[in-house]
Amino acid sequence: MTTVREPTTPYEALGGADTFRRIVDRFYDLMDSEPRFAELRAMHAADLAPMREALASFLGGWAGGPRDWFEANPGRCMFSVHGEFPIDATTAGQWADAMKQAISEADMPSADLAAQLSQRLTAMARAMGAN
Ligand code: HEM
């Protein structure tokens, strides 16, 4: 007899809200404390608490979880959000490196999905810095 498995989202397969919160908290802790991310840190507001909420909510919804960020920001495109910031290859690289490290330390249930998440976000960040 075969077992029928419910289809699942990357969000669920990666561990849900806790995982995304852990990644985002580590990402901003790294940005806030490591001199190699200084240029990226300088672009952000002094208080990173609102960004911790926003990025965790965005990434969770993007991975197939609750759509809170998208419902609060109808039609808002992540590339347009960043169009107003002077992102270059240096700051895009810092974003990608901090995110890669945060993901690799998050101890996720699927190493394969974690690698895919890292690759996708790195590609997105580098595209934002390519203008
Ligand atoms: C390429 C390098 C990137 C830089 C330099 C950058 C920088 C920033 C800055 C300065 C802000 C505003 C922060 C503040 O007000 O304190 C912001 C907001 C945000 N960024 Fe990025 N970002 C980058 C890439 C990304 C990527 C790849 C994503 C998503 C995959 C992302 C998701 C967000 C989100 C969700 C917000 C908050 C938008 C809102 O809810 O208002 N960022 N980013």
Side-chain angles (χ1 to χ4, degrees):
M1 199 172 96
T2 51
T3 309
V4 179
R5 294 180 58 212
E6 291 290 323
T8 188
T9 60
Y11 174 82
E12 288 164 21
L14 287 168
D18 284 357
T19 297
F20 285 88
R21 192 60 210 218
R22 206 157 67 240
I23 294 171
V24 166
D25 277 339
R26 182 66 180 136
F27 172 78
Y28 285 114
D29 287 348
L30 285 167
M31 185 199 286
D32 208 19
S33 62
E34 301 252 345
R36 67 199 158 107
F37 302 128
E39 289 83 0
L40 179 62
R41 176 66 186 92
M43 293 175 73
H44 288 75
D47 181 8
L48 290 172
M51 280 303 302
R52 290 176 191 261
E53 294 299 329
L55 186 56
S57 181
F58 171 82
L59 290 179
W62 174 78
R67 307 281 302 164
D68 301 28
W69 188 92
F70 293 87
E71 279 158 19
N73 296 278
R76 203 154 168 239
C77 150
M78 213 18 83
F79 279 81
S80 315
V81 168
H82 291 79
E84 66 185 271
F85 305 127
I87 301 176
D88 60 13
T90 300
T91 45
Q94 290 180 1
W95 197 102
D97 289 349
M99 184 52 77
K100 239 187 286 178
Q101 185 175 337
I103 290 172
S104 74
E105 291 174 4
D107 192 22
M108 282 185 253
S110 162
D112 180 46
L113 271 180
Q116 287 188 46
L117 181 67
S118 208
Q119 280 159 18
R120 295 287 177 93
L121 293 177
T122 296
M124 241 193 258
R126 295 205 186 282
M128 285 179 189
N131 298 310

